[in-house]
Amino acid sequence: MRHPQTMLAGFLLAASSAVLAAPPNGPATGLAFSSPLVNDLQRGAGEPIIEIDPDGTVYTCGPTGFSQNQDYASASLDHGDQFNPIGAYPRGQFSAGGGGDCAFATSPVRNGEGYYSLAYTGLYGLVTFSTMTSADRGATLLVGNSTPLPGTDRQWIVFTDEDTVFHTYNRIGAQAGLNVQRSDDGGLTYGRETLVSPNSAGQGQIRALPAALNPAQNGLPALYYPWSQGTSLRLALSLDEGETWNNCTVAEARGSTDNKFPAADHDQEGNLYFAYTEAGRWDTFFVAVRNAELLNCDGGISGGFSSVLKASKPIHVNRDKVESTAFPWIVASGVPGRVAVAYYGSEVEGAPDDLSLPHVWNVYVSQSLNALDDDRDFHQVKASSHPMHYDQICQNGLGCTTGGDRSLVDFFALDYNPANGELLVVYNWAHKRPGDIEGAATATVVVRQVAGPSHNGGVIDNPDRRALRQSTVDPQGDAYTDFSGLFVTGARGNSPAMDITYVEVVPPVQGDGFTARIHLADLSDAALEDALLALPAQSLLWMFYYVDGYRHHVASARWNPVDGFSYGFNGYEGSLQECGSPPTGSEPIGALPPAAQASTNPDQCLYYRGMDPLVGRVDQAAGIIELDVPLALLSTLKEVEAPARSPAEVPAAPGDRIWSAAAYTQGNSISPTQDVQSWLTPVDNSAAMDFLIPQPASAPADGDGDETPSEGRGANLAPKGGALVWTILLLALGFGLRRAGRSGPAAV
């Protein structure tokens, strides 16, 4: 499969790789993930991190660039179905700086308020770190700033108790090396820095073994992080809660192990597991180290290269047709031997940043149930239900700004939810199309484990969240109008008019396509007025979001006290700067962008103005909004003959699959009409689902074109202007011709 340039090189390569040859997939275990949920529709953020506390509170965070002076973060109180921004509304700003790198950690024990504390550090301008802490799951935020440390990069943090936090980062320039700082106030301020490891190409996340798992048995927590140096995978380790440190070697590779970044985690007995990608092969490998072996890591802080731990033999994690991988992340945290590794994978062999290769990237998770055994095995599944990126992934850091697509930035993450035993993955989707020079606005996406072995030793079985379904139930009472605040506690009140309770996809009353039916707790006039006051907002927005080709589309209903309800449709639309700048990058309905079109505008904000008319209905008494999306507006992805080529975006037909569909409710604080938008205020969202375009419904028996209410449909759901009239108008506007426009040359 690989093609050395000479016979001698081929012989040597074959000899050295015989043990490491990628095996076929391991035995199927039933591991499966939910439909991908876009957890923030507006705020673009790269390299997302995920952190889950013991109660199951899920936090995500990602940088948006130094120029924006802010990282963006969200919290989920329902294990990853719904996310709300943390920080000052409506933007969600929660620190005095940041934007370069984001790090989160939660405490292992409850604080005085009965929650697990949250801490954050954000890199700003390669010169300093901003900080934030919260004692109440992001409802109240305290912000600070560490001492300026010129020449800093990529930081990680970890708690060892309620108040003690350790902060590690890469110092660049004349004082190059990996440094550690300690905080005794929950991560708000940090003390002196200690040089722990020599200069590194990249270091993984710092983690902590509780005192009970410290092999030194001295009553203190242990700290560790993996780091890369050339072809070596190293470990930095402290067995006395940061007082002294040692470095040692874990594994040697044939290519560089610095591929943003090596990763490590431990199980409930303190055994360590590592994942790294080897440059040149672009495969992801796994090794394990038993807890007792950590006592042999004694190489000091100046080198440590001769201190070599006894580790398991490296084994391929990527399986089957996945030939190239990037950004591995590992999680154990539970029963010994149960470990999972996530990575971006492509069936095209070659470097991820090779501009000439037509990579199609998906998120994969490989799980092992016997990772400590000599005959350990991994079972790989695709966690993303549609491709999340195409072509190049540049891994040259800031060097990518002079040429290359770094729209995914440098990594994504996987975590384990101890409250319910699920694995969760957070990753990026940069709205890139095959042939684009780079991605555009980078969205944060989350998938939940819905089936298969749990790291707690049990089995996950959540059929209500399986990826493919036609409906989803959403809990009542979670439409938060004041979720978070700086120094002032977010009240987290509920708005019934924005409170989604059920979402379903059904055949339209007439024609083809589908109808999205959104059920709300209360759509009365009083509830609508109350929502405006509570947010506060000038208008309200209910959206049905879905991905039906290379990018998303949205059907929406909107309301204000003067105009009442109206309905609209839009595709991808962004702005060059933060929300509030003029919209740009809008895609006309039905237009298929040519494959070679470049993304010359890396957007910072996405808009959902719905400027194209759409048929919709509302039954205020029943609390139901319906939005009709005709088939002429729908596309899908179809595989082409050559397996190395990108899927083609083609017109959709009944039975085709639509991805990442979810309902969202938001408030517009600056305008009563949706043609003017800035930061929207997220209130509620449903869990995501993939669905199949339904077959057209039968025509009404009386043949007069009037709607016949179906089961579950409110009798007062009258189309604004009449469905038949609107259908004729839409056809007159040329939707049929636009559909033909979608069947242009396939992008390959």
Side-chain angles (χ1 to χ4, degrees):
M1 290 166 46
R2 288 166 172 86
H3 307 286
Q5 299 299 313
T6 66
M7 293 179 60
L8 177 60
F11 174 79
L12 293 175
L13 180 61
S16 63
S17 63
V19 177
L20 301 179
N25 210 357
T29 62
L31 180 65
F33 289 85
S34 67
S35 175
L37 172 73
V38 177
N39 79 342
D40 193 325
L41 291 184
Q42 278 200 302
R43 306 176 304 166
E47 55 183 39
I49 191 72
I50 186 169
E51 182 75 16
I52 307 175
D53 73 17
D55 276 340
T57 309
V58 183
Y59 302 97
T60 66
C61 184
T64 188
F66 295 145
S67 62
Q68 310 308 328
N69 194 32
Q70 186 62 202
D71 298 324
Y72 291 132
S74 297
S76 172
L77 306 183
D78 60 3
H79 305 294
D81 281 344
Q82 174 184 332
F83 287 84
N84 289 83
I86 61 175
Y89 273 58
R91 181 185 178 189
Q93 186 164 3
F94 63 90
S95 66
D101 285 321
C102 185
F104 262 173
T106 57
S107 63
V109 294
R110 296 187 188 275
N111 57 34
E113 297 192 32
Y115 300 111
Y116 295 92
S117 298
L118 172 71
Y120 150 88
T121 64
L123 175 67
Y124 183 60
L126 299 177
V127 296
T128 189
F129 295 103
S130 297
T131 64
M132 178 274 289
T133 63
S134 177
D136 54 7
R137 301 188 298 174
T140 311
L141 309 174
L142 301 178
V143 300
N145 198 283
S146 72
T147 304
L149 301 167
T152 56
D153 198 6
R154 189 59 264 177
Q155 81 283 8
W156 309 102
I157 55 175
V158 69
F159 278 86
T160 56
D161 57 34
E162 178 184 342
D163 299 311
T164 307
V165 182
F166 285 87
H167 181 217
T168 182
Y169 54 90
N170 194 5
R171 197 72 177 268
I172 56 180
Q175 296 176 305
L178 301 178
N179 291 262
V180 174
Q181 292 177 292
R182 174 174 173 145
S183 170
D184 293 312
D185 58 5
L188 195 62
T189 61
Y190 290 87
R192 63 179 178 85
E193 57 180 323
T194 300
L195 178 65
V196 171
S197 305
N199 190 25
S200 164
Q203 90 277 18
Q205 186 170 13
I206 187 171
R207 298 192 184 274
L209 290 173
L213 300 181
N214 187 338
Q217 298 182 356
N218 56 9
L220 296 173
L223 298 162
Y224 68 92
Y225 61 82
W227 57 284
S228 61
Q229 190 173 53
T231 60
S232 301
L233 176 65
R234 316 278 196 199
L235 175 69
L237 176 69
S238 172
L239 296 178
D240 53 11
E241 198 176 13
E243 287 299 315
T244 61
W245 288 83
N246 283 284
N247 291 277
C248 48
T249 300
V250 177
E252 293 288 347
R254 296 184 309 163
S256 172
T257 59
D258 169 42
N259 297 287
K260 307 295 186 299
F261 298 91
D265 197 15
H266 61 273
D267 61 31
Q268 63 189 20
E269 292 184 357
N271 303 302
L272 267 58
Y273 306 92
F274 300 82
Y276 60 94
T277 298
E278 185 178 295
R281 295 173 61 94
W282 306 112
D283 294 310
T284 291
F285 291 93
F286 164 88
V287 296
V289 174
R290 298 274 184 170
N291 178 264
E293 180 64 18
L294 299 179
L295 293 171
N296 295 321
C297 184
D298 56 4
I301 63 173
S302 60
F305 310 139
S306 61
S307 177
V308 180
L309 295 186
K310 181 181 179 181
S312 63
K313 292 182 179 179
I315 182 174
H316 276 83
V317 174
N318 51 299
R319 301 298 173 99
D320 284 345
K321 297 179 181 180
V322 177
E323 296 285 355
S324 302
T325 64
F327 304 150
W329 198 267
I330 195 168
V331 66
S333 305
V335 173
R338 294 203 171 195
V339 64
V341 183
Y343 44 90
Y344 292 150
S346 166
E347 295 185 7
V348 177
E349 181 184 351
D353 58 1
D354 189 333
L355 284 167
S356 68
L357 297 178
H359 286 294
V360 178
W361 297 98
N362 278 277
V363 175
Y364 291 87
V365 174
S366 280
Q367 185 183 49
S368 177
L369 306 181
N370 60 348
L372 291 172
D373 297 347
D374 291 338
D375 60 347
R376 62 198 180 280
D377 209 346
F378 281 87
H379 174 64
Q380 172 185 277
V381 299
K382 189 184 294 184
S384 53
S385 59
H386 64 90
M388 38 67 61
H389 201 66
Y390 297 97
D391 306 326
Q392 184 201 41
I393 296 178
C394 184
Q395 295 179 288
N396 194 28
L398 291 177
C400 300
T401 59
T402 60
D405 180 15
R406 199 194 178 202
S407 54
L408 296 181
V409 202
D410 286 337
F411 68 91
F412 69 107
L414 167 75
D415 205 5
Y416 166 72
N417 187 342
N420 62 12
E422 295 177 355
L423 299 171
L424 280 84
V425 185
V426 61
Y427 64 92
N428 286 147
W429 179 41
H431 299 88
K432 187 177 184 180
R433 301 157 299 192
D436 284 355
I437 293 176
E438 60 184 341
T442 303
T444 305
V445 181
V446 175
V447 293
R448 292 177 57 176
Q449 183 184 358
V450 297
S454 169
H455 283 200
N456 65 15
V459 176
I460 301 299
D461 183 17
N462 189 359
D464 291 338
R465 290 295 179 259
R466 66 185 184 274
L468 185 61
R469 60 190 193 279
Q470 299 296 113
S471 64
T472 187
V473 175
D474 191 72
Q476 191 166 335
D478 60 352
Y480 300 114
T481 56
D482 184 17
F483 190 82
S484 179
L486 292 175
F487 304 106
V488 178
T489 303
R492 295 184 176 173
N494 180 68
S495 172
M498 311 299 281
D499 191 1
I500 301 165
T501 60
Y502 187 59
V503 181
E504 55 185 329
V505 173
V506 299
V509 177
Q510 296 185 15
D512 50 19
F514 68 86
T515 290
R517 187 182 296 159
I518 305 172
H519 299 246
L520 289 308
D522 186 354
L523 276 180
S524 65
D525 289 341
L528 295 170
E529 293 283 359
D530 287 346
L532 291 181
L533 294 174
L535 287 174
Q538 296 190 50
S539 56
L540 307 177
L541 184 63
W542 300 262
M543 296 189 295
F544 185 76
Y545 173 104
Y546 59 92
V547 177
D548 64 330
Y550 298 139
R551 288 180 169 175
H552 67 244
H553 292 85
V554 175
S556 60
R558 64 285 302 283
W559 177 88
N560 67 53
V562 175
D563 303 314
F565 284 92
S566 60
Y567 312 94
F569 179 88
N570 63 268
Y572 176 91
E573 184 178 28
S575 64
L576 289 175
Q577 301 300 323
E578 290 285 14
C579 296
S581 61
T584 186
S586 179
E587 294 178 355
I589 293 178
L592 176 65
Q597 180 177 337
S599 295
T600 56
N601 49 335
D603 299 326
Q604 295 293 331
C605 178
L606 294 180
Y607 290 138
Y608 303 93
R609 301 187 300 157
M611 300 300 290
D612 294 285
L614 198 69
V615 174
R617 293 167 294 277
V618 61
D619 184 339
Q620 289 185 254
I624 298 175
I625 292 174
E626 287 190 345
L627 300 163
D628 290 345
V629 181
L631 198 61
L633 298 182
L634 296 171
S635 61
T636 191
L637 297 179
K638 295 293 186 181
E639 295 294 332
V640 294
E641 293 183 4
R645 302 175 70 187
S646 302
E649 187 179 60
V650 299
D656 283 336
R657 187 163 179 161
I658 304 297
W659 303 278
S660 297
Y664 298 80
T665 59
Q666 303 195 335
N668 187 337
S669 62
I670 69 166
S671 174
T673 58
Q674 299 304 329
D675 58 322
V676 179
Q677 290 184 357
S678 181
W679 301 102
L680 297 173
T681 302
V683 186
D684 193 10
N685 70 262
S686 67
M689 63 183 182
D690 292 3
F691 67 89
L692 302 180
I693 301 174
Q695 296 294 328
S698 300
D702 56 13
D704 61 4
D706 293 334
E707 176 182 337
T708 301
S710 60
E711 182 179 355
R713 185 192 300 271
N716 295 325
L717 282 169
K720 190 173 183 180
L724 182 59
V725 174
W726 269 101
T727 301
I728 295 173
L729 288 175
L730 292 177
L731 291 174
L733 287 172
F735 280 126
L737 294 176
R738 287 173 179 147
R739 179 179 179 181
R742 279 187 108 90
S743 61
V748 296

